[in-house]
Amino acid sequence: MLKPTLECIPCILRQVAEACEYATGDLTLRYRALKDAIQHLNNMNVNQVNRVKIGSDLNRIVKEVTGNPDPYHELKKLSNRMALEWLFKLEKGFGNNIPFMLALRIAAAGNMIDYGAVKTVESPKTLFEKAMRTEVDSRKMEEVKHLVKESQRVLYLCDNAGEIAFDKLLVSAVQSLGAQVTVVVRGGPILNDATLEDAYEVGMTKLARTISTGNDFCGIILDDSSHEFQEAFRRSDLIISKGQGNLESLIDVKRKTTTIYIFKVKCNLIANHLKSQIGATEIFIQKLNSLYF
Amino acid sequence: MLKPTLECIPCILRQVAEACEYATGDLTLRYRALKDAIQHLNNMNVNQVNRVKIGSDLNRIVKEVTGNPDPYHELKKLSNRMALEWLFKLEKGFGNNIPFMLALRIAAAGNMIDYGAVKTVESPKTLFEKAMRTEVDSRKMEEVKHLVKESQRVLYLCDNAGEIAFDKLLVSAVQSLGAQVTVVVRGGPILNDATLEDAYEVGMTKLARTISTGNDFCGIILDDSSHEFQEAFRRSDLIISKGQGNLESLIDVKRKTTTIYIFKVKCNLIANHLKSQIGATEIFIQKLNSLYF
C-alpha cells in the first residue's frame, strides 16, 4: 500500500466533513460525526494504516452517527442521470459501434465526475464537457487496445457513480475484441462510489456480469473482500482499474496480472509518485510481477 | 467570534500538516506533531472554540514537538526580501510621494503573499505580479481615504511577512494625511505572520511606532494580549486590519472604533459570510458600534 503522507490526513478529514454535510442538515449530528472521526483518527497509527482503510472507516462513522446509510445517494442519482443523457446523445451519433479508442477516451474522461475527491458545484454535464477536452496519451491507448486483444478474462474495477455509465462503452468495446468482462463495484455505499444499485441503474448489469467487492472500502482490500471477488480477481488475465482509490490500494499488491490504471490525478502524493500533475487524466500500465511502474 | 464550521477543522489541520513539513525534515517528528495536534483537537469542543485559538494552539504544538520555534522562518525572510526588491523598484518610480490610492492598492494586494493559508510554489514576485492586476473597489478606497483624513490615532494591524513591506507604503500615506500610526505585529512566530523581527527587517520600525500583540495567535484575542496593545487598541480612533485572521477574530468584538478590513478572501466561510468570492481582494468597513457589516 501507499503509506499516508502527512497531507493525506487533513485531506481525508476534509472528505469526512463534506460527507457529514451531505449526510444530514442537523448541525449537532454533523459535529458529533466529525468529532467521532477525529477520535478515531486519534486512536490509530496514521502513518501505518492503509489510506483507503482510514477513509473508509471514517466514512463509516459518518454513516453510523448521522443515521444516513448513503450520504451521497442524491448526488449519485444525479450523476447517473446526467451521464446517461450524455451517453444517449453519443449513441445516437455512433450507434452501437463506438470505436475502441473513443470508448477508452470517454471512460477515462468519466473519472472526472467525482464528488468524493473534489467538492464541486459543477454539474456532471459541465464536468463531462471539460473532460472531453482532456488530453489522453494516444500511445498508451494503443497499448491498452493491444493488451485487451491478448486477453480472455478482463476484470473491470469501477470507481464512481455517473462515471459507470461511461464505463459501459469501454466494457462493450473490450467485449467486442473478444474478451469476457467481469465488472466490479463497491459492496456498500462509500462516498460517491458506484454500487450494484448504480450498475443496475445505468444498465451495466445487462451488459456484463457485475459483482461487488463485498465491502464498502473506497478501494480494493483483497483480503477483506468477498470470496466471489477474490476468485474473479485471481482468475482474470487483465485488470482495468478506474480511479485513484483503486490505484492507491492495488498498486503494490503482489499479483501476476497486468493492470491498466485509468484515472484522473487528484492529489500531490499521486502526482509526485507517478511524475504526473494534479488534474491530468492518466493511463498507467503495470506489467506482470512488477510492483511499481 | 466567527464559530468554526465543519470545513474549518480539516483546513486548520491542513495548515498544521504544512507547518510540520516546514518545521522539520524528520518524518517521525512530523508525524508525532500531527498526531499530538489530532489529540488536542480530540480534546476540544471544536464547534465552540475560536478558530484563531484552535489554529494557534495546534501550531504551538508543532513548534514544541518539532523543536523548531519558527517553522516559516526561511519563507518569511524570502518574502521580505522579494517584497523589498519590488518596493525598491516602485520607489524609484515614485520617489517618496506614492499617491494614497496606489499605496492602499499595493497594501491590499500584499495580502496575497500568504504561505499559511495557501501552500504555493510561487515566489512572492510572481504573487505580487498577480496581485497588482487585482481588482479593488475604488468607491471603498475613497471612503478609506476619507476616514483616514478624519482620524488622529490609527492602529494598523499587520498580517504576513513580505506583505508588511508593502504595508509601509500605506502607513506612510496615512501619516501624510496627518494621523499618528501605531503598527501591530504578532508577539511570536505563528505561520508566516509578521513579527517584530520582520517589522525591523523591512524598515517598518523606523517609520512608525511598532508594537506586538504580546502573543503568538494568528489573529487578535484582545483579552490575552499585552497591556501595551490593549491600551493602543482602546486609544485608537481608526483601525486598519490586514488579512483574514485578524478579521475573523475581530469582526464581532464589541468596540467603538471604525475598522477597515483589507484582505484577500481565502475560504468559503468568509466568502459566504461577506457575500464575496474566494480569491477576491476586499475592503470592508465596519462602522462604530455595528457588530456586523
Side-chain angles (χ1 to χ4, degrees):
Chain A
M1 86 189 181
L2 284 176
K3 270 195 175 187
T5 65
L6 226 54
E7 63 187 303
C8 296
I9 306 303
C11 180
I12 291 171
L13 204 59
R14 177 190 55 73
Q15 284 190 350
V16 169
E18 284 166 15
C20 290
E21 287 180 31
Y22 287 124
T24 179
D26 183 329
L27 285 180
T28 312
L29 280 182
R30 282 183 184 173
Y31 273 110
R32 194 176 308 155
L34 185 70
K35 181 92 188 129
D36 284 7
I38 291 169
Q39 190 172 32
H40 191 79
L41 262 184
N42 186 40
N43 292 333
M44 55 171 45
N45 252 337
V46 288
N47 59 336
Q48 285 173 359
V49 184
N50 188 320
R51 283 188 292 159
V52 166
K53 181 85 170 57
I54 302 178
S56 308
D57 282 357
L58 297 191
N59 274 285
R60 216 170 281 156
I61 289 172
V62 175
K63 292 184 269 184
E64 282 165 17
V65 175
T66 62
N68 183 339
D70 193 2
Y72 292 77
H73 193 261
E74 286 310 306
L75 267 175
K76 289 192 287 186
K77 301 302 110 180
L78 176 69
S79 301
N80 287 338
R81 209 162 51 236
M82 302 293 295
L84 282 175
E85 276 174 30
W86 265 92
L87 206 58
F88 182 68
K89 283 184 209 160
L90 270 168
E91 284 171 343
K92 276 215 292 199
F94 287 92
N96 286 323
N97 295 310
I98 294 184
F100 186 90
M101 290 308 186
L102 182 60
L104 174 54
R105 203 187 146 71
I106 294 173
N111 193 238
M112 293 190 79
I113 305 171
D114 186 358
Y115 292 91
V118 186
K119 196 178 181 181
T120 175
V121 289
E122 290 179 304
S123 68
K125 180 174 178 298
T126 316
L127 278 178
F128 189 65
E129 280 166 354
K130 274 192 191 167
M132 290 311 290
R133 295 192 295 270
T134 305
E135 295 285 326
V136 186
D137 185 326
S138 58
R139 196 185 50 76
K140 292 256 185 72
M141 294 210 293
E142 285 293 347
E143 200 177 342
V144 170
K145 189 174 181 181
H146 174 75
L147 284 167
V148 168
K149 270 185 179 165
E150 284 186 331
S151 305
Q152 270 147 27
R153 283 183 304 277
V154 173
L155 193 72
Y156 193 102
L157 306 175
C158 293
D159 188 8
N160 302 311
E163 177 181 357
I164 192 176
F166 301 120
D167 289 328
K168 278 170 63 190
L169 296 177
L170 185 52
V171 166
S172 177
V174 169
Q175 288 171 330
S176 300
L177 292 181
Q180 197 186 56
V181 183
T182 300
V183 172
V184 182
V185 292
R186 309 290 179 225
I190 172 79
L191 300 172
N192 66 329
D193 289 16
T195 61
L196 282 172
E197 187 180 330
D198 301 296
Y200 178 78
E201 209 164 271
V202 303
M204 181 66 94
T205 50
K206 279 192 288 189
L207 189 66
R209 176 185 171 224
T210 307
I211 64 172
S212 93
T213 54
N215 59 50
D216 62 354
F217 294 126
C218 48
I220 304 298
I221 302 183
L222 208 53
D223 291 345
D224 290 335
S225 299
S226 65
H227 177 73
E228 184 182 30
F229 172 65
Q230 291 191 30
E231 192 62 21
F233 190 91
R234 262 191 296 271
R235 282 172 49 84
S236 64
D237 49 19
L238 182 69
I239 297 172
I240 297 178
S241 165
K242 298 287 305 283
Q244 198 175 293
N246 288 332
L247 178 144
E248 286 177 29
S249 51
L250 262 189
I251 197 167
D252 50 9
V253 171
K254 285 192 187 183
R255 63 188 177 280
K256 288 190 175 167
T257 322
T258 293
T259 304
I260 299 163
Y261 297 101
I262 304 173
F263 62 104
K264 188 185 160 202
V265 180
K266 282 165 187 161
C267 76
N268 274 323
L269 175 68
I270 296 296
N272 295 340
H273 192 72
L274 303 181
K275 304 196 191 335
S276 181
Q277 290 195 317
I278 287 184
T281 296
E282 293 280 10
I283 295 176
F284 275 98
I285 297 165
Q286 189 179 25
K287 289 286 172 69
L288 303 175
N289 286 325
S290 77
L291 285 188
Y292 292 96
F293 299 118
Chain B
M1 84 190 181
L2 285 177
K3 271 195 173 185
T5 65
L6 225 58
E7 63 188 302
C8 295
I9 307 303
C11 181
I12 291 171
L13 204 60
R14 178 190 54 75
Q15 285 190 349
V16 169
E18 284 166 17
C20 290
E21 286 180 31
Y22 286 126
T24 178
D26 183 328
L27 284 181
T28 312
L29 280 182
R30 283 182 184 176
Y31 273 111
R32 194 177 307 155
L34 184 71
K35 180 92 188 132
D36 285 6
I38 291 170
Q39 190 170 31
H40 191 77
L41 263 185
N42 187 39
N43 292 333
M44 55 170 49
N45 251 338
V46 288
N47 58 336
Q48 286 173 357
V49 184
N50 190 318
R51 282 187 293 158
V52 165
K53 181 85 169 57
I54 302 179
S56 308
D57 282 358
L58 297 192
N59 274 284
R60 215 170 281 154
I61 289 172
V62 174
K63 292 185 270 185
E64 282 165 18
V65 174
T66 63
N68 182 340
D70 192 1
Y72 292 76
H73 194 263
E74 287 310 308
L75 267 176
K76 289 192 286 185
K77 301 302 113 181
L78 176 70
S79 301
N80 288 338
R81 209 162 53 236
M82 302 294 293
L84 284 174
E85 276 175 30
W86 266 92
L87 206 57
F88 182 69
K89 282 183 210 162
L90 270 168
E91 283 170 344
K92 275 214 294 200
F94 286 91
N96 285 325
N97 295 311
I98 293 184
F100 186 90
M101 291 306 186
L102 182 60
L104 174 54
R105 204 187 145 71
I106 293 172
N111 194 238
M112 294 190 76
I113 305 171
D114 186 357
Y115 291 94
V118 186
K119 195 177 183 183
T120 174
V121 291
E122 291 179 303
S123 68
K125 181 174 177 300
T126 316
L127 278 178
F128 189 65
E129 280 165 356
K130 274 191 194 169
M132 292 310 289
R133 294 190 297 270
T134 304
E135 294 286 326
V136 186
D137 185 327
S138 59
R139 195 185 51 76
K140 291 258 185 69
M141 293 209 295
E142 285 294 347
E143 199 178 342
V144 170
K145 189 174 181 182
H146 174 73
L147 284 167
V148 167
K149 270 185 180 164
E150 283 186 330
S151 305
Q152 270 148 27
R153 285 182 303 276
V154 173
L155 192 73
Y156 192 105
L157 306 175
C158 293
D159 187 10
N160 303 310
E163 177 180 357
I164 193 177
F166 301 120
D167 290 327
K168 279 170 63 190
L169 295 177
L170 184 53
V171 167
S172 178
V174 169
Q175 288 170 330
S176 300
L177 292 181
Q180 198 187 53
V181 183
T182 301
V183 172
V184 182
V185 292
R186 308 289 179 227
I190 172 78
L191 300 172
N192 66 329
D193 289 16
T195 61
L196 283 171
E197 188 179 330
D198 302 296
Y200 178 78
E201 208 163 272
V202 302
M204 181 66 94
T205 50
K206 279 193 286 189
L207 189 65
R209 177 185 170 225
T210 307
I211 64 172
S212 93
T213 54
N215 59 49
D216 61 355
F217 294 126
C218 48
I220 304 297
I221 302 184
L222 208 55
D223 291 345
D224 289 337
S225 299
S226 65
H227 178 72
E228 184 182 32
F229 171 65
Q230 290 192 31
E231 192 63 18
F233 189 90
R234 264 191 295 271
R235 282 171 49 83
S236 63
D237 49 18
L238 182 69
I239 297 172
I240 297 178
S241 165
K242 298 288 306 283
Q244 197 175 292
N246 288 332
L247 178 145
E248 285 177 31
S249 51
L250 263 189
I251 197 167
D252 49 9
V253 171
K254 284 192 186 181
R255 63 189 178 279
K256 289 190 178 166
T257 323
T258 294
T259 304
I260 299 163
Y261 297 101
I262 304 172
F263 62 104
K264 188 185 159 199
V265 180
K266 283 164 187 162
C267 76
N268 274 324
L269 175 68
I270 296 297
N272 295 342
H273 193 71
L274 304 181
K275 305 196 191 334
S276 181
Q277 292 196 316
I278 286 184
T281 296
E282 293 281 10
I283 296 177
F284 275 98
I285 297 166
Q286 189 179 26
K287 290 286 172 69
L288 303 174
N289 284 327
S290 78
L291 285 188
Y292 291 97
F293 300 117

